Amino acid sequence: MQQRFASLPAILFLLAAIPVCAQEWSRFRGPNGSGISDTTTIPVSWTEADYAWRIELPGTGNSSPVLWKDQLYVNCESDSGRQRILKSLDARTGKLLWSHEFESTSHRTHKFNSYASSTPCADEHHVYMAWGTPEALHLVAIDHSGQLVWQSDSLGAVKGGHGFATSPIVHEDLVVIARDTQAKGDSALIALDRMTGQVAWTVPRRGGRLNYSTPCVYKPQGRGAQLVFVAWPIGVTGIDAASGERLWEIEAFATDQGERAIASPIVHNDMVFATCAFANSPKHLVALRPESGNAPADVEEVWRVDNASVPHIPSLLVYDERLYAWSDQGICTCYDAASGKKIWQKRVGGRYFGSPVCIDGRLYCVDDAGICVVIATGDTYKELARNDLGEPSRATPAVANGMMYLRTISGLAAIGTYRGAGEIEE
């Protein structure tokens, strides 16, 4: 299945710099899904008295929070999915600014999923919220004052017993989302105009499997931006962001047994890293180098790992040329990002549905019991702290404004020293 080809000089593929220190954590896992912040105001360990604020949400969910300037957004659900809720909070205080409730339907979902697992995304104009049912994929845009701008309810059905959990992203003038569904031949990648909600392009896919991976942006030097999607059984796909043209696609995972892409891809320098797995089946981590990016043969598989320590649900993270793979079963492995050489592996313990984030060179990851484990990055494993959030959690932290925002099943908390992006009018 895999082929190797001589690589062009890496400098031809260097990515455009993404400022990880920006105030905005505006999509799942922050800037381009990297999960990295250089904020220096987050403590390693804390107690209940150290929270800047802590609130109970009016509904439950696994959605991660996102921010735009001094506003924080989080998805919730109530009445067994019959109501989907988007909350806007003052990031300084946790005070509710506004709330939008959308009527929906209750449907079958996985016991570890929720009706509010999709993470919203935001830009200078709007916050965008998605949810899916067996009848339709819904996507809405709400401005930062709480006014509904547009709503799209005709993007196709999302069929499958595990429910919906895919998150949208904003790229330039587009809102992009993957609509994967269990119905064969009925999946699609969709881009909408972010100001009007009109469909800009659609890429049909053969599908046949629910996948939850959130795309990222790959920017090879001298060429247009590409959107990278991961799905089983399709593999890894590069899409021209402007036109929707499929530039390359490679079957990087086993296709003879059912798997699912849940973790989101990341990019580092000229490489794309992706995972795919399912339960007790083999789990795959691949490091790819898209070269000219116009055919599968132009995608070099640089290295791969196929074993049980590969994460199924948590996404990967690259920091200081090391790749960290924090698995669902609490095994953290550090690889050299360029070569795939294993540097260390340690059983941290716990079970994980959220993904790690890196803050000032430290990894923070919350297990489903609500324990935030903090470890050092580097060539040796070192645990720094374990912080009990007091309630189960299946979400990934957000980091902005000098603070880390931690979502539990029914609550939200802020820790750190606030450094706001501006004042919110009362």
Side-chain angles (χ1 to χ4, degrees), residues 22-31 35-37 39 42 53 63-68 71-74 91 119-120 355-359 364 366 395-407 412-416:
Q23 289 287 344
E24 281 74 281
W25 191 275
S26 58
R27 54 152 286 172
F28 176 65
R29 295 191 86 211
I36 299 174
S37 171
T39 296
I42 309 302
W53 53 262
S63 168
S64 299
V66 299
L67 295 99
W68 189 267
Q71 285 182 258
L72 182 151
Y73 301 99
V74 66
T119 294
S355 299
V357 297
C358 183
I359 306 171
Y364 293 69
V366 184
T396 298
V399 189
N401 305 323
M403 303 186 77
M404 177 167 60
Y405 299 91
L406 297 151
R407 201 275 173 77
L412 190 63
I415 190 80

Side-chain angles (χ1 to χ4, degrees), residues 66-319:
V66 299
L67 295 99
W68 189 267
K69 297 189 183 300
D70 289 316
Q71 285 182 258
L72 182 151
Y73 301 99
V74 66
N75 287 343
C76 305
E77 64 89 10
S78 64
D79 194 19
S80 299
R82 295 178 182 87
Q83 191 172 68
R84 314 298 172 99
I85 308 166
L86 178 65
K87 295 288 182 183
S88 173
L89 306 171
D90 185 324
R92 300 168 300 177
T93 64
K95 175 185 175 182
L96 177 66
L97 299 176
W98 52 259
S99 176
H100 254 289
E101 293 79 30
F102 298 90
E103 298 303 315
S104 188
T105 59
S106 181
H107 53 82
R108 183 182 173 189
T109 189
H110 192 277
K111 64 180 179 180
F112 293 134
N113 200 355
S114 78
Y115 293 105
S117 290
S118 173
T119 294
C121 62
D123 60 21
E124 69 273 26
H125 300 292
H126 311 129
V127 57
Y128 307 89
M129 171 192 182
W131 71 96
T133 71
E135 293 74 38
L137 170 60
H138 307 265
L139 189 60
V140 301
I142 302 169
D143 69 23
H144 295 295
S145 68
Q147 299 300 308
L148 179 65
V149 178
W150 54 259
Q151 180 168 350
S152 181
D153 301 315
S154 57
L155 300 175
V158 182
K159 297 183 183 297
H162 285 196
F164 181 79
T166 305
S167 300
I169 68 167
V170 175
H171 174 69
E172 296 184 349
D173 291 329
L174 302 174
V175 183
V176 180
I177 193 166
R179 183 183 66 83
D180 287 316
T181 179
Q182 207 75 16
K184 292 185 178 180
D186 188 37
S187 294
L189 309 177
I190 305 170
L192 288 75
D193 184 291
R194 64 176 178 156
M195 301 304 293
T196 67
Q198 295 299 307
V199 175
W201 50 255
T202 300
V203 181
R205 316 218 298 169
R206 68 181 186 270
R209 191 70 162 175
L210 279 175
N211 293 282
Y212 303 132
S213 178
T214 301
C216 65
V217 181
Y218 175 65
K219 294 183 177 179
Q221 186 172 349
R223 290 186 284 131
Q226 302 175 15
L227 299 169
V228 178
F229 295 85
V230 182
W232 189 92
I234 297 164
V236 186
T237 305
I239 299 291
D240 181 85
S243 67
E245 178 187 359
R246 185 185 284 106
L247 298 175
W248 53 268
E249 190 166 84
I250 184 169
E251 289 186 349
F253 314 119
T255 58
D256 58 347
Q257 52 192 314
E259 297 180 12
R260 197 183 309 278
I262 299 178
S264 300
I266 58 173
V267 297
H268 178 68
N269 294 335
D270 61 342
M271 295 171 68
V272 172
F273 300 90
T275 61
C276 189
F278 191 72
N280 296 321
S281 301
K283 298 173 172 60
H284 316 285
L285 187 168
V286 294
L288 306 174
R289 181 176 288 117
E291 295 187 356
S292 63
N294 54 20
D298 295 317
V299 182
E300 177 192 4
E301 183 179 290
V302 183
W303 58 269
R304 70 183 297 127
V305 174
D306 300 290
N307 62 39
S309 67
V310 170
H312 182 198
I313 299 175
S315 298
L316 305 168
L317 190 147
V318 174
Y319 180 77

Side-chain angles (χ1 to χ4, degrees), residues 385-403:
R386 290 179 181 252
N387 302 286
D388 191 349
L389 306 185
E391 186 187 30
S393 173
R394 295 178 186 143
T396 298
V399 189
N401 305 323
M403 303 186 77

Side-chain angles (χ1 to χ4, degrees), residues 336-420:
D336 176 80
S339 67
K341 178 183 177 182
K342 184 164 67 175
I343 298 172
W344 55 258
Q345 185 176 80
K346 180 69 175 182
R347 182 174 291 278
V348 181
R351 181 174 61 177
Y352 296 82
F353 295 93
S355 299
V357 297
C358 183
I359 306 171
D360 194 24
R362 301 183 295 267
L363 296 186
Y364 293 69
C365 198
V366 184
D367 73 8
D368 75 337
I371 305 299
C372 181
V373 181
V374 186
I375 67 173
T377 57
D379 288 341
T380 57
Y381 173 84
K382 182 180 180 182
E383 182 179 308
L384 302 176
R386 290 179 181 252
N387 302 286
D388 191 349
L389 306 185
E391 186 187 30
S393 173
R394 295 178 186 143
T396 298
V399 189
N401 305 323
M403 303 186 77
M404 177 167 60
Y405 299 91
L406 297 151
R407 201 275 173 77
T408 60
I409 295 295
S410 65
L412 190 63
I415 190 80
T417 302
Y418 191 81
R419 295 177 178 174

